[in-house]
Amino acid sequence: MNVDEFDTKIRAVPDGGVTSARGFSAAGIHAGFRRNPERADFALLAAERPVSAAGVFTTNRFCAAPVTVCREHLGADSCGLVQAVAVNSGNANAATGEPGLAVARETCDIVSQMFGCEPEQVLVASTGVIGQQLDIAPFETGVPAAVEQLSPAGGAAAARAIMTTDTHPKEYAVSYESGVLEYVGCTFTVGGCVKGSGMIMPNMATMIALITTDAPVAPKTLHAVLADCVAQTFNKVTVDSDTSTNDTCIMLASGEAAPGEAPIEVGSEAYEELAYAVRVVCEGLARAVAADGEGASRLITVNVTGAPSDADADAAARSVANSPLVKTAVAGHDCNWGRIAMALGKCGVAFRQEDVSIDIMGIPVCRAGLTVPFDEDEALRRFEAPEIVISADLGAGEGAATVWTCDLTHDYVTINGDYRT
């Protein structure tokens, strides 16, 4: 597939989100998980029938009860058939032992009864404070209320209901007309929503992400698409180097855009089309998470090239992105490339400082490991941009990677200093 040519076929869906793909409806309501009755705290995403599903979850050993239940329902291959996904905010249901697992499983029972499907065909996710028991009562009343409000137009409400310290909901969707003979005339859509603002350095997916498509895809193929895209997008985000206990990324495929057609197969041109579209959506959502980091004022993109391998480039980029000194320098509009050099040098990747070049916002600040004079006033002007790009060439190979993060401001400490209150 010619990526550049296919890229011109992809179109953003205006106000698109998780229900832009055909065959899905959603709702977002206040169910009582939060004290504020004006704040939505429960989201429900549903298909018209059990559809292909895949999931990628946190690697944190203190994983939450919903993560355990989702893994049970999807099985060893992390894929299967699912009709609904229920998400609550305000309580993570993490570090809650057997009572927490019982609530997660009972939630699946309640949802399955509403849809007439099996409990194993329901997935759950939670986000909020860790270590507090989650009451089943809000689910008992909230699930029926959410079912009553399910609508193809409900994606925006669902995106808002899963928020915690996010400052705004995060949604994105694209569509494309397939150029493959088997699906000629078919327009496929990929959409999604995500929540995430703090405790973010996933080693799997993201905080909570829900992705949908109306393309025909079998469960195992869907997991292959999702896992690959997650590795290239959500796994490249870090706000504070902390991996959540609840990270969950779920993708559903209804097949409604090509009813009766054979499922897309791994390695086919149709697979490449779909994978590219999913990556576009996931990258858009991942960048939105980084830009909305707790207390953040700037999105930071860190590009590392010239590393011995792609893995080395990722390690170097992540070291820069996670450095409090780099992040605070950006917050203070200080074009201090020495902090970037420090972060590169400590990451364990082999390179010679004499071979390193660094640019900040397109301004050369380091060449051959030495300072390059630059216009400080011009640098201050460029710091006004919403995205700050840091680029480093290690001069040690062909490896390359990009990681997204944000600056570190006083507000991050304020938010997390009284998170439970």
Side-chain angles (χ1 to χ4, degrees):
M1 181 182 71
N2 186 317
V3 172
D4 291 335
E5 184 177 309
F6 181 68
D7 192 45
T8 64
K9 296 182 179 180
I10 291 183
R11 296 286 183 269
V13 177
D15 300 318
V18 73
T19 53
S20 294
R22 280 166 280 191
F24 296 100
S25 57
I29 67 167
H30 175 76
F33 298 101
R34 294 182 178 277
R35 296 171 185 168
N36 182 357
E38 300 300 317
R39 183 165 181 181
D41 56 14
F42 180 67
L44 189 63
L45 172 66
E48 296 171 2
R49 54 182 171 76
V51 299
S52 295
V56 188
F57 304 97
T58 185
T59 56
N60 192 309
R61 291 187 178 276
F62 242 108
C63 68
V67 171
T68 298
V69 171
C70 284
R71 285 173 171 155
E72 291 173 351
H73 288 188
L74 292 176
D77 294 328
S78 295
C79 60
L81 296 178
V82 166
Q83 186 162 359
V85 183
V87 185
N88 76 276
S89 61
N91 185 314
N93 195 10
T96 49
E98 286 300 324
L101 287 169
V103 168
R105 292 178 180 131
E106 190 171 349
T107 301
C108 294
D109 289 339
I110 295 170
V111 175
S112 68
Q113 290 169 22
M114 297 297 299
F115 287 96
C117 64
E118 297 298 320
E120 291 75 20
Q121 293 174 327
V122 176
L123 300 180
V124 285
S126 299
T127 179
V129 178
I130 296 169
Q132 295 184 357
Q133 293 296 333
L134 180 60
D135 191 358
I136 193 62
F139 291 108
E140 293 173 333
T141 56
V143 170
V147 170
E148 285 292 319
Q149 294 191 29
L150 281 174
S151 164
R160 187 169 293 278
I162 65 176
M163 291 167 48
T164 50
T165 56
D166 308 63
T167 63
H168 59 85
K170 303 169 180 69
E171 307 171 84
Y172 192 46
V174 301
S175 63
Y176 66 94
E177 184 174 341
S178 178
V180 180
L181 182 60
E182 295 94 317
Y183 307 105
V184 64
C186 294
T187 297
F188 297 133
T189 299
V190 177
C193 66
V194 66
K195 63 78 52 184
S197 190
M199 198 183 286
I200 295 174
M201 190 177 79
N203 190 17
M204 56 93 239
T206 184
M207 298 36 68
I208 292 178
L210 303 175
I211 314 294
T212 59
T213 183
D214 47 24
V217 194
K220 286 190 177 181
T221 303
L222 191 66
H223 186 265
V225 171
L226 181 63
D228 184 58
C229 289
V230 157
Q232 300 176 68
T233 58
F234 291 128
N235 270 1
K236 302 298 184 181
V237 176
T238 176
V239 167
D240 45 23
S241 80
D242 287 331
T243 299
S244 168
T245 56
N246 291 58
D247 292 346
T248 298
C249 183
I250 294 166
M251 185 170 181
L252 306 179
S254 70
E256 292 295 322
E261 297 295 336
I264 293 171
E265 296 182 357
V266 175
S268 67
E269 189 174 351
Y271 178 92
E272 296 301 323
E273 287 181 340
L274 177 63
Y276 188 84
V278 175
R279 179 174 177 179
V280 168
V281 169
C282 290
E283 181 173 315
L285 294 174
R287 285 170 54 87
V289 168
D292 195 32
E294 289 175 340
S297 69
R298 297 289 184 278
L299 168 67
I300 302 175
T301 297
V302 181
N303 298 314
V304 171
T305 57
S309 68
D310 288 349
D312 287 330
D314 182 82
R318 204 169 292 270
S319 181
V320 173
N322 280 330
S323 168
L325 291 179
V326 172
K327 290 157 71 72
T328 51
V330 172
H333 296 188
D334 183 5
C335 203
N336 187 347
W337 71 267
R339 293 182 172 184
I340 299 168
M342 170 278 300
L344 294 170
K346 74 174 185 176
C347 73
V349 173
F351 63 85
R352 300 190 323 146
Q353 61 177 289
E354 295 89 347
D355 298 329
V356 174
S357 297
I358 299 172
D359 290 7
I360 302 177
M361 303 172 296
I363 300 173
V365 293
C366 169
R367 291 293 184 269
L370 300 174
T371 192
V372 175
F374 61 91
D375 187 331
E376 293 279 4
D377 290 335
E378 174 62 15
L380 285 173
R381 186 187 69 80
R382 296 192 187 190
F383 266 119
E384 295 302 317
E387 178 177 0
I388 306 301
V389 179
I390 296 171
S391 301
D393 187 335
L394 303 185
E398 301 298 322
T402 296
V403 171
W404 296 287
T405 187
C406 59
D407 59 351
L408 180 59
T409 69
H410 296 286
D411 288 340
Y412 180 88
V413 178
T414 301
I415 291 168
N416 285 286
D418 62 359
Y419 181 78
R420 292 197 305 160
T421 57

